[in-house]
C-alpha cells in the first residue's frame, strides 16, 4: 500500500472512511487519549450491528505494525473473547477486522464505558488476577508468529541507539546520562533471562483497565507481544515492598485458579521496569517529529527532564541490585 500520511488524518478523513463502510453517523468525533494511534469515539449505526450505538474507531500509525501483526492482535482478542475474558474486540466486516483506507489501516470497536481500575482496591485486584489468569491460559496455548517478544535487543539495545542520536538530550549531560543508562542496560540485560514466553497483553496498567458492574475489563491490546507472564502483573504493583507483595498475592490467589505462576519470574520485575523506562524515552525520541508529541510532551526537550531521568536511572540501578520480591509460603 502507498504511504499513509498520518499528519493529514483529519476528522473529515475519518468521517469519509466511516461513511464508505456504510456507517450512519449521529454525532461528531471525540478524540480519545492516544498518541501512538488516532482514536475517536462517536455515535452511529452500522448494518449488521444494530445492538451497537456507540463506537470507537482506531487509525493505526503506519509502519509500526505490519498487516500480519495487526491481524494477530485482532485474532488474539477474539480468542480471549471466546474464552469469556472481558476484552473489547474489534468488529468484522465481511470477515475483515483490519480495514484498509487511503494507504493505512483502521479498526472499529464497540465503545464500552467504565471507571478506571483502582489499583489499591483489593476486590478489583482479585478480579483482575482472575481475568489475567484466564488471559494467560489462552495466551500460552500457542505463540505469535509475527509479533515480536519483549527482548533486550528491542527494548534496551535499540532504544540506546535511538537515544544516542536524540538531539533533545543536552550535550553537557551526555556523560552523566549515558554512563548510568549503560550501567542500567548492562545489569537489566544480565538479569532478564525469562524461561518461558507466552502471548501477553503487554501494556497492562491502570490506563488500559476499566471496571463496570461486571468487573474489570481490558482495552487496547495494541502492545501485545510474547513475554513472561509477570509482564502483565508488575505494573499493578505500587508503594512499599510490603504493599507490592500484598497486591501481588491478592492477584495471584485468583490468578492461579486458572493458570500456574512461576515465582522465579519475580526476579524479572526490575529488569522489565528498566526496559520500559528506556523504551519509553526512546519512543518519545522516535515520535518527536509528530507535532502532537512536541505539543503534549514539551518537557522532553528541557534540561530538567534529562536531569530527572538521570536520577531516576540511578534509582533504578539501585533497585536492580536489591533482592527480588519473594512470595509468602503457600504461593
Amino acid at each position: 500500500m502507498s504511504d499513509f500520511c498520518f499528519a493529514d488524518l483529519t476528522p473529515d478523513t475519518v468521517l469519509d472512511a466511516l461513511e464508505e463502510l456504510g456507517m450512519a453517523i449521529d454525532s461528531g468525533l471525540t478524540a480519545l487519549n492516544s498518541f501512538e494511534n488516532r482514536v475517536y469515539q462517536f455515535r452511529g449505526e452500522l448494518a449488521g450491528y444494530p445492538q451497537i450505538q456507540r463506537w470507537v474507531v482506531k487509525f493505526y500509525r503506519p509502519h509500526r505494525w505490519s498487516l500480519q501483526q495487526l491481524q494477530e492482535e485482532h485474532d488474539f482478542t477474539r480468542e480471549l473473547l471466546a474464552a469469556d475474558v472481558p476484552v473489547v474486540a474489534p468488529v468484522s466486516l465481511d470477515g475483515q477486522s483490519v480495514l484498509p483506507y487511503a494507504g493505512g489501516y483502521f479498526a472499529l470497536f464497540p465503545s464500552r464505558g467504565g471507571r478506571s481500575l483502582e489499583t489499591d482496591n483489593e476486590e478489583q485486584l482479585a478480579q483482575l488476577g482472575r481475568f489475567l489468569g484466564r488471559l494467560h491460559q489462552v495466551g500460552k496455548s500457542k505463540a505469535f508468529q509475527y509479533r515480536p517478544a519483549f527482548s533486550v535487543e528491542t527494548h534496551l539495545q535499540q532504544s540506546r541507539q535511538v537515544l544516542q542520536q536524540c538531539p533533545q538530550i543536552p550535550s553537557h549531560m551526555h556523560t552523566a546520562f549515558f554512563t548510568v543508562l549503560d550501567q542500567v542496560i548492562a545489569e537489566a540485560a544480565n538479569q532478564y533471562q525469562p524461561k518461558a514466553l507466552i502471548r501477553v497483553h503487554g501494556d497492562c496498567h491502570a490506563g488500559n483497565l476499566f471496571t463496570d458492574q461486571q468487573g474489570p475489563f481490558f482495552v487496547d491490546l495494541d502492545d501485545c507481544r510474547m513475554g513472561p507472564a509477570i509482564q502483565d502483573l508488575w505494573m499493578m504493583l505500587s508503594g512499599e515492598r510490603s504493599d507490592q507483595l500484598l497486591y501481588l498475592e491478592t492477584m495471584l490467589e485468583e490468578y492461579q485458579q486458572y493458570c500456574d505462576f512461576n515465582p522465579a519470574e519475580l526476579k524479572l520485575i526490575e529488569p522489565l521496569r528498566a526496559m520500559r523506562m528506556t523504551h519509553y524515552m526512546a519512543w518519545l525520541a522516535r515520535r518527536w517529529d509528530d507535532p502532537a508529541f512536541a505539543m503534549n510532551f514539551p518537557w522532553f526537550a528541557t534540561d530538567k527532564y534529562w536531569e530527572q531521568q538521570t536520577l531516576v536511572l540511578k534509582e533504578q540501578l539501585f533497585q536492580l541490585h536489591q533482592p527480588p520480591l519473594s512470595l509468602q509460603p503457600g504461593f
Side-chain angles (χ1 to χ4, degrees):
M1 303 185 77
S2 61
D3 284 348
F4 179 43
C5 187
F6 212 46
D8 293 339
L9 184 61
T10 65
D12 285 342
T13 306
V14 174
L15 291 172
D16 289 343
L18 294 171
E19 288 172 355
E20 279 197 13
L21 294 178
M23 178 76 72
I25 301 168
D26 298 332
S27 73
L29 300 174
T30 300
L32 300 184
N33 185 25
S34 176
F35 296 105
E36 188 64 10
N37 303 300
R38 297 289 185 264
V39 186
Y40 299 91
Q41 187 179 61
F42 65 97
R43 293 183 64 88
E45 296 181 4
L46 184 64
Y49 292 93
Q51 74 280 17
I52 304 175
Q53 282 77 47
R54 293 194 308 138
W55 298 85
V56 168
V57 59
K58 176 193 287 189
F59 276 79
Y60 293 100
R61 182 177 291 272
H63 310 302
R64 179 164 182 253
W65 299 121
S66 69
L67 175 60
Q68 292 91 341
Q69 289 168 333
L70 290 174
Q71 192 61 60
E72 277 197 321
E73 173 202 335
H74 288 197
D75 292 345
F76 182 37
T77 307
R78 280 192 289 270
E79 283 183 65
L80 295 173
L81 198 62
D84 292 326
V85 178
V87 60
V88 179
V91 301
S92 293
L93 302 176
D94 297 324
Q96 191 173 11
S97 60
V98 182
L99 307 170
Y101 186 77
Y105 297 106
F106 73 102
L108 278 173
F109 300 81
S111 177
R112 181 174 175 181
R115 306 180 307 279
S116 296
L117 188 85
E118 300 171 20
T119 57
D120 58 351
N121 183 308
E122 290 190 29
E123 181 179 351
Q124 291 183 13
L125 283 176
Q127 290 178 310
L128 175 61
R130 183 182 317 135
F131 294 145
L132 280 173
R134 289 158 58 184
L135 187 153
H136 288 173
Q137 185 181 47
V138 175
K140 69 180 183 180
S141 64
K142 63 182 181 182
F144 284 135
Q145 294 185 24
Y146 300 102
R147 288 211 157 217
F150 285 92
S151 71
V152 168
E153 171 66 22
T154 59
H155 281 65
L156 293 176
Q157 295 174 356
Q158 290 180 12
S159 295
R160 171 62 166 81
Q161 294 170 7
V162 170
L163 291 170
Q164 184 65 50
Q165 304 300 319
C166 177
Q168 283 73 39
I169 303 177
S171 59
H172 67 274
M173 293 199 61
H174 271 219
T175 298
F177 175 77
F178 284 106
T179 296
V180 66
L181 176 63
D182 287 342
Q183 292 175 321
V184 167
I185 288 175
E187 188 60 34
N190 181 60
Q191 293 186 24
Y192 183 69
Q193 299 182 27
K195 301 302 182 183
L197 299 179
I198 64 173
R199 293 177 297 172
V200 295
H201 182 287
D203 197 25
C204 191
H205 60 79
N208 282 333
L209 295 167
F210 295 90
T211 184
D212 57 18
Q213 66 274 14
Q214 297 176 330
F217 61 92
F218 302 95
V219 298
D220 194 6
L221 269 75
D222 194 58
D223 288 298
C224 63
R225 292 174 178 249
M226 299 296 293
I230 192 64
Q231 170 61 27
D232 284 345
L233 294 162
W234 75 264
M235 278 184 278
M236 305 308 299
L237 311 180
S238 60
E240 301 295 328
R241 286 175 68 93
S242 58
D243 295 326
Q244 294 181 35
L245 188 59
L246 173 63
Y247 298 155
L248 180 61
E249 291 180 345
T250 298
M251 288 189 287
L252 286 179
E253 186 171 359
E254 294 295 327
Y255 178 99
Q256 294 190 120
Q257 302 297 317
Y258 299 91
C259 192
D260 290 334
F261 177 76
N262 182 0
E265 288 199 358
L266 295 179
K267 64 185 178 183
L268 302 178
I269 291 177
E270 293 308 326
L272 283 166
R273 193 190 312 275
M275 291 163 68
R276 184 174 179 85
M277 292 166 53
T278 308
H279 190 262
Y280 178 75
M281 289 186 288
W283 173 67
L284 290 174
R286 287 186 176 102
R287 299 291 183 252
W288 198 246
D289 289 340
D290 184 330
F293 279 71
M295 181 184 306
N296 288 279
F297 305 100
W299 37 259
F300 184 71
T302 66
D303 287 11
K304 183 178 180 180
Y305 173 75
W306 294 105
E307 290 168 358
Q308 290 174 335
Q309 291 308 107
T310 301
L311 293 174
V312 168
L313 286 169
K314 288 180 179 178
E315 173 61 24
Q316 185 56 31
L317 183 61
F318 173 79
Q319 294 298 332
L320 283 164
H321 286 106
Q322 299 309 298
L325 285 178
S326 178
L327 295 172
Q328 300 294 326
F331 275 93

